[in-house]
Each structure stands twice: as structure tokens, then as C-alpha cells.
Amino acid sequence: MTAKENRPITDMGTLKALAHPLRMKLYRGLCVSRTATASQLAEQVDEAPSLVSYHLRKLADHGLIEEAEAQSGDGRERWWQPASEGVSIRDRDFRDAPERAAAHLAATRLFHDQRADMYRRYLDERPTWGPEWNSAAPDNESLLRLTAAELAELGEELLALARKYDEKGRAAEESGDTEGRENVALHVYGFPFRP
């Protein structure tokens, strides 16, 4: 898959399509594998291929995924790929009406819960990763005093840094440098709070 831009999601239909627990898992799995069939994704999420196919079609109906070039000679297999590098869902696009704000909040909670589940699974499996990976995996908290503009700037800089490493990893992998390379999730949250 060639590099594509992030797709901003601003409409309720697409937000609701992605904010389904199974669809979000499928979308995330497809982003990791880059291309996959419904059967391959069904194994990852422990669901029936027919159910997975249905949900993949719903994601495709909203332009979140698209058919990919076949990766095997089996013409019956339908291959899928993400339609963009990723998605961005911003509060500012959903705060104009209470029902839109509520849908955005529900989706955000789902995404956070799934990310937290991923991290808990890593913690449970930590002994199997070995000292090299466990030492490399950052786990930190910073308590800062910032303005909203400074927090936005920090977020953009962190996103640019993550993109730099993603591009570096993809380029290395495309050149055959796959030794020791694993999927890595980087979750960054920045939010105001009052003690």
C-alpha cells in the first residue's frame, strides 16, 4: 500500500460505522496487516468469516477500507486494505449539536477502552516479550502546565515524531530489514485536569 493521508471523519454515519466494537477491531487489524481477507481477520477476532465480511462491507460503504489487489491465486478470496493511512476524529467536528457531541464521546470512549485492553494484554504477556522489549517499551506520565495552544502544538509535534518513526520502519521493512521488527502501539493522551 502506498502512503496515504489520514482521513478526517466529520459525518455521523462514518463515525457510527467505525465506532462499532467489532468494526474498530477489524479496522485496526487491517491497518496492522495492511492487507487481509475476511477469513484472516476472522481468526484474529475469533468471529465467523461471514460476520466479519458483513462488517468489512459496512466499513467499505463508508470509504474506510477498500478492496486490495489479490495476494494469492484464489479468485474467491476478497482482499481488503485501509483506504487511508489512518483516520482522525476531532471534537471540533462534532460539537455543533448535542447528539453529535454524544456520538463523538461514545466513540472516543470505545477507542480508549480498546486501547486500554491492548495495553493490559501487553502487561499480561510481558514476560513472553523478554527484557529487550520490556526495557524499550515506554511507560511514563508527565504533568505539565500548558495553555490550550501549547498542548495542541505538543500534540502536533508528537504526531510528527510518530510519523517519522512509522515512515522509517516501513522503509526499512520494504528494503527487507524485518529482523526483530514487531507491531508497536503508541498511545498518547494529553488532557487538562484539576486536582
Side-chain angles (χ1 to χ4, degrees):
M1 184 173 72
T2 58
K4 302 174 184 178
E5 295 294 318
N6 261 5
R7 176 185 170 191
I9 295 178
T10 58
D11 68 284
M12 287 284 286
T14 304
L15 178 67
K16 287 181 177 180
L18 189 59
H20 181 284
L22 179 55
R23 288 182 200 147
M24 187 60 217
K25 285 182 183 177
L26 295 172
Y27 181 78
R28 187 178 283 117
L30 199 52
C31 286
V32 170
S33 63
R34 300 187 185 140
T35 59
T37 64
S39 296
Q40 291 169 337
L41 291 168
E43 286 181 32
Q44 290 178 22
V45 297
D46 196 27
E47 293 288 351
S50 58
L51 179 65
V52 168
S53 288
Y54 168 80
H55 286 293
L56 289 173
R57 287 191 304 275
K58 289 295 179 190
L59 291 170
D61 288 347
H62 289 277
L64 294 164
I65 66 172
E66 61 192 13
E67 284 196 56
E69 189 175 309
Q71 306 293 309
S72 70
D74 186 350
R76 296 171 297 159
E77 289 183 324
R78 192 172 187 184
W79 288 81
W80 296 97
Q81 67 185 10
S84 60
E85 188 66 30
V87 296
S88 62
I89 306 167
R90 303 287 179 235
D91 168 73
R92 66 178 175 252
D93 296 319
F94 292 93
R95 66 172 86 121
D96 59 340
E99 66 277 3
R100 288 174 53 82
H104 177 261
L105 179 58
T108 301
R109 286 183 189 277
L110 169 72
F111 303 151
H112 175 74
D113 289 346
Q114 286 188 349
R115 290 176 195 145
D117 286 344
M118 289 175 69
Y119 187 63
R120 280 191 285 273
R121 190 170 59 244
Y122 160 71
L123 292 175
D124 292 343
E125 297 170 353
R126 198 172 195 165
T128 66
W129 282 101
E132 181 181 75
W133 278 104
N134 288 314
S135 295
D139 180 358
N140 48 43
E141 178 179 10
S142 300
L143 301 174
L144 313 171
R145 292 280 296 167
L146 303 174
T147 65
E150 290 167 339
L151 179 57
E153 182 181 352
L154 175 61
E156 289 299 317
E157 287 183 26
L158 290 171
L159 184 58
L161 186 60
R163 281 188 183 132
K164 171 187 161 186
Y165 276 88
D166 182 42
E167 290 167 6
K168 180 179 178 179
R170 286 177 189 255
E173 196 170 49
E174 286 174 11
S175 72
D177 179 8
T178 58
E179 184 72 28
R181 214 165 278 289
E182 297 283 353
N183 297 313
V184 172
L186 178 66
H187 301 158
V188 178
Y189 302 101
F191 51 90
F193 71 98
R194 292 185 179 109

